[in-house]
Amino acid sequence: MPELPEVNTFKIYFEKTALRQRIKKTVVHDDKIFRNISGGDFEKKLTGRTFIDTYRRGKYMFGKLDNNKYVQFHFGMTCDFKYYSDIADKPRHERFVFIFENGFRLGFDCPRKFARINYIENLDEYIARINLGTDALEISEAEFLKKIKNKKGTLKGFLLNQKNIAGMGNLYVDETCYQCRIHPASRLDKIPLKKKKEIFDKMQNILQRALDERPHYKGYPPDWFWQWREEGKLAPDGKSKVEKTEVAGRTTYFAKGWQRLY
DNA sequence: TGTGATGTTGAATG
DNA sequence: GCATTCAACATCAC
């Protein structure tokens, strides 16, 4: 499910399928996932247009239209694109679909309707308004350290907040904490600078590797690197066991003993 | 049958 | 202004 690397995979999929194809018709089946526009208006705005570029920042993907406006795709927890030509392949929870002149369709499949679709007139103004942080793979160490400085709260809460850094989700946060041997509930003001730098490095390494693997939530390899995320599983020291708890309001796995609480 | 799930937001509280 | 907690969103899988 979509955190930064998964959204990047959606972006690649979108580029391979929808880019530079004129939209003959747009059909909205369900208004609910649109935030700043009605389904009817979305149909009108998108019909006859062509996507000419894409941009991703954290978990947000934007499709640039040939009139220099953008469509924001946010995939919530369960959404996905599907490109198909046979109507029998229509995804079960398709909320809207672009029908291209070649007869193929790009459907937006979204079971839980947690997605957020917006029509954006001015991208820079929009990103500034929602105060979206710098992409987790783009952010520099200096900016990361500056953001984290003078903050209290938990490490996990910080990493999950998209206004700080855009792109980290529950799984990658747990993974980063595990690899850094730090408890996700550690207080930011107690973590030494050296450790913060390590967190930054590991975060980017993990995201980059995941992105290179092009993960897709329906097709994660069975030996994927977060497989330790199970209760009772052993850490590399052979004795610390993984426990399940809640940090920053989210289900959290960590290896007690292996991961130090600051 | 009940419960929780890879996300975000807004309201309420401290 | 911050940090935290909670509810809401809607569906599926176990």
Side-chain angles (χ1 to χ4, degrees):
Chain A
M1 237 161 285
E3 300 180 38
L4 187 153
E6 292 78 22
V7 174
N8 198 66
T9 302
F10 294 151
K11 176 176 182 279
I12 292 168
Y13 187 85
F14 184 89
E15 286 167 355
K16 281 186 178 165
T17 56
L19 215 54
R20 291 179 290 278
Q21 287 211 65
R22 188 160 181 275
I23 299 165
K24 191 167 77 180
K25 198 176 177 198
T26 302
V27 181
V28 171
H29 310 307
D30 192 324
D31 264 20
K32 283 253 169 58
I33 58 174
F34 295 95
R35 299 286 142 167
N36 70 349
I37 189 168
S38 69
D41 284 347
F42 187 77
E43 289 180 345
K44 283 182 206 150
K45 295 265 194 200
L46 270 292
T47 294
R49 300 249 75 101
T50 302
F51 283 106
I52 56 168
D53 203 1
T54 61
Y55 172 65
R56 183 192 58 72
R57 176 147 163 166
K59 304 171 192 172
Y60 291 75
M61 191 203 116
F62 301 91
K64 184 180 186 180
L65 294 163
D66 55 357
N67 60 356
N68 290 327
K69 311 294 186 195
Y70 290 82
V71 176
Q72 170 200 302
F73 301 95
H74 189 290
F75 300 86
M77 292 217 281
T78 56
C79 306
D80 199 0
F81 287 131
K82 184 164 184 188
Y83 189 65
Y84 62 99
S85 62
D86 185 343
I87 200 75
D89 294 328
K90 175 182 163 185
R92 187 168 168 193
H93 299 286
E94 183 178 274
R95 304 304 177 187
F96 66 89
V97 60
F98 300 126
I99 306 170
F100 301 107
E101 291 187 326
N102 69 356
F104 275 75
R105 296 157 178 248
L106 185 76
F108 190 79
D109 189 30
C110 184
R112 285 172 68 184
K113 299 187 190 177
F114 284 10
R116 291 180 155 68
I117 308 298
N118 278 316
Y119 186 80
I120 311 289
E121 300 275 347
N122 180 327
L123 187 60
D124 292 338
E125 182 274 330
Y126 176 77
I127 285 174
R129 181 154 48 83
I130 65 171
N131 197 14
L132 183 60
T134 307
D135 186 81
L137 277 174
E138 300 287 327
I139 194 169
S140 67
E141 185 187 80
E143 190 186 346
F144 179 85
L145 293 173
K146 194 176 161 192
K147 287 264 187 191
I148 210 168
K149 203 178 170 187
N150 299 328
K151 284 237 168 44
K152 295 184 171 127
T154 62
L155 174 60
K156 180 157 189 168
F158 173 81
L159 292 173
L160 281 176
N161 187 339
Q162 305 299 301
K163 292 177 171 61
N164 296 324
I165 311 160
M168 292 286 275
N170 202 18
L171 282 171
Y172 291 103
V173 169
D174 278 6
E175 180 71 26
T176 301
C177 290
Y178 177 79
Q179 290 198 20
C180 290
R181 298 191 62 179
I182 184 169
H183 195 298
S186 293
R187 313 301 296 189
L188 292 171
D189 52 356
K190 300 267 172 55
I191 303 171
L193 182 63
K194 195 177 161 192
K195 201 66 178 174
K196 288 176 180 167
K197 289 181 177 178
E198 188 188 339
I199 292 163
F200 171 79
D201 283 342
K202 283 276 200 297
M203 171 185 86
Q204 291 203 331
N205 287 343
I206 289 164
L207 289 174
Q208 187 63 54
R209 179 178 160 196
L211 187 146
D212 291 343
E213 297 275 355
R214 296 218 190 142
H216 188 289
Y217 75 98
K218 285 174 181 164
Y220 282 159
D223 60 345
W224 195 242
F225 60 69
W226 54 70
Q227 283 304 303
W228 60 270
R229 209 169 177 275
E230 278 174 34
E231 271 184 288
K233 205 139 190 185
L234 285 176
D237 63 5
K239 48 186 185 190
S240 298
K241 285 192 180 163
V242 172
E243 294 189 4
K244 183 180 177 181
T245 181
E246 195 177 289
V247 180
R250 305 295 301 278
T251 299
T252 297
Y253 292 86
F254 73 103
K256 196 172 185 177
W258 176 255
Q259 290 172 253
R260 174 175 167 184
L261 179 66
Y262 287 89

